Amino acid sequence: MNRVYFIGAGPGDPDFLTLRGARLLARCRTVFAPTPFETTFAEQLRDKRVLVPFDFYFAELQEKVHTFLEEGEVAFLVPGDLTFYAPFQGLIDALGERAEVVPGVGTANVASALLKKTLDLPGVCNRAIIASPRTLGDGPEAPTLRDLAAPGVTLLIYMNNLPLPELTALLRAGYGRNVPIALCHRLGLPGEEVVTGTLDDIVEKVGERDFFNLTTGSKRAALTLVLVGETLTATVDGSWWDHRREHIWKHRDGEGG
Ligand SMILES: C[S@@+](CC[C@H](N)C(=O)[O-])C[C@H]1O[C@@H](n2cnc3c(N)ncnc32)[C@H](O)[C@@H]1O
């Protein structure tokens, strides 16, 4: 039975494709690739039929997939991977056992690596919240980013559509103080830029740059991930390590971590 692979493609650069993803992609004759993957994956997509999934309504898309399945395996390149904010759940459900999901490197993973920061840190950040102002809803009961921001929280904000001064004001109200923030733009793509600062100085540091497609009139969510929280600048010494070594790790037999 030919299958449809939903391959976590990473944030853009094919270097972030997993070995499994690359092996399965190589088998597929037809690939649905959202922009800019048709360009950044040009080498991997050579000699394949490449379509943009968002060019079709759902029924049309399903029909196309079933037609292409008759002649070979089909892949969808999933930006980052399926874990957060991927639009393919309906199609995966409709395909049932024909669908296979291949995990990949999410945008948050790449941001954490570039910043060289773990997004939770004992004693500093004890929880992470993933959110987008586009999906919180706009009814009177809907939470805002202010409700989610709080001391001890690392916030990962996808698809931001708020002007930066408005975003920082909400976050400052939620955290109740000035905290570090990082804007991670076009990770793994040409034009990659990371701007770090605090809620108090990030607007000035960003200046005229439009990281959120707010001045272009584009309806597309910008390729910018916003990270907020004290873990972004905190540093730790070896005492946490030694405490765990003394009380946990050395009492385990042959187990990692
Ligand atoms: C529809 S979501 C897709 C998330 C994706 N499934 C993932 O695992 O990262 C799109 C949002 O993810 C973030 N994003 C996706 N690609 C990015 C990139 N190359 N650089 C920075 N942020 C990116 C941005 O916040 C963007 O608005």
Side-chain angles (χ1 to χ4, degrees), residues 28-233:
C28 296
R29 161 90 185 82
T30 304
V31 180
F32 287 86
T35 301
F37 291 83
E38 77 287 9
T39 308
T40 56
F41 277 61
E43 174 70 26
Q44 289 74 12
L45 298 178
R46 209 167 5 111
D47 305 326
K48 297 186 190 294
R49 179 192 292 119
V50 180
L51 297 98
V52 178
F54 309 124
D55 283 349
F56 306 102
Y57 286 102
F58 192 68
E60 228 182 329
L61 183 60
Q62 272 185 294
E63 203 180 295
K64 292 235 172 273
V65 168
H66 283 292
T67 307
F68 296 139
L69 271 174
E70 281 167 26
E71 63 180 59
E73 304 214 277
V74 174
F76 279 75
L77 293 182
V78 182
D81 83 349
L82 187 74
T83 317
F84 300 112
Y85 301 117
F88 299 113
Q89 190 64 55
L91 194 55
I92 291 169
D93 292 343
L95 285 163
E97 59 173 18
R98 284 218 166 203
E100 187 171 321
V101 178
V102 182
V105 177
T107 313
N109 303 113
V110 175
S112 156
L114 264 180
L115 295 164
K116 300 193 206 173
K117 290 294 180 186
T118 187
L119 298 184
D120 78 290
L121 198 61
V124 179
C125 289
N126 54 16
R127 59 213 191 274
I129 297 180
I130 288 152
S132 167
R134 287 183 190 240
T135 60
L136 287 174
D138 24 63
E141 303 298 311
T144 69
L145 289 175
R146 176 188 173 148
D147 302 318
L148 304 179
V153 170
T154 300
L155 260 181
L156 293 85
I157 305 171
Y158 288 73
M159 299 176 288
N160 176 55
N161 59 357
L162 303 175
L164 196 51
E166 194 181 319
L167 177 69
T168 51
L170 278 177
L171 295 172
R172 201 181 295 104
Y175 280 103
R177 56 177 182 251
N178 189 24
V179 298
I181 181 169
L183 306 188
C184 305
H185 182 60
R186 294 186 62 84
L187 296 175
L189 291 167
E192 177 180 273
E193 228 179 311
V194 176
V195 181
T196 57
T198 66
L199 296 180
D200 282 350
D201 67 15
I202 196 74
V203 171
E204 196 183 330
K205 282 189 166 178
V206 166
E208 294 300 304
R209 286 171 288 184
D210 177 12
F211 285 140
F212 302 119
N213 280 354
L214 297 177
T215 58
T216 58
S218 164
K219 288 205 168 79
R220 262 184 88 101
L223 296 180
T224 304
L225 178 68
V226 181
L227 301 181
V228 197
E230 278 163 337
T231 190
L232 297 180
T233 51

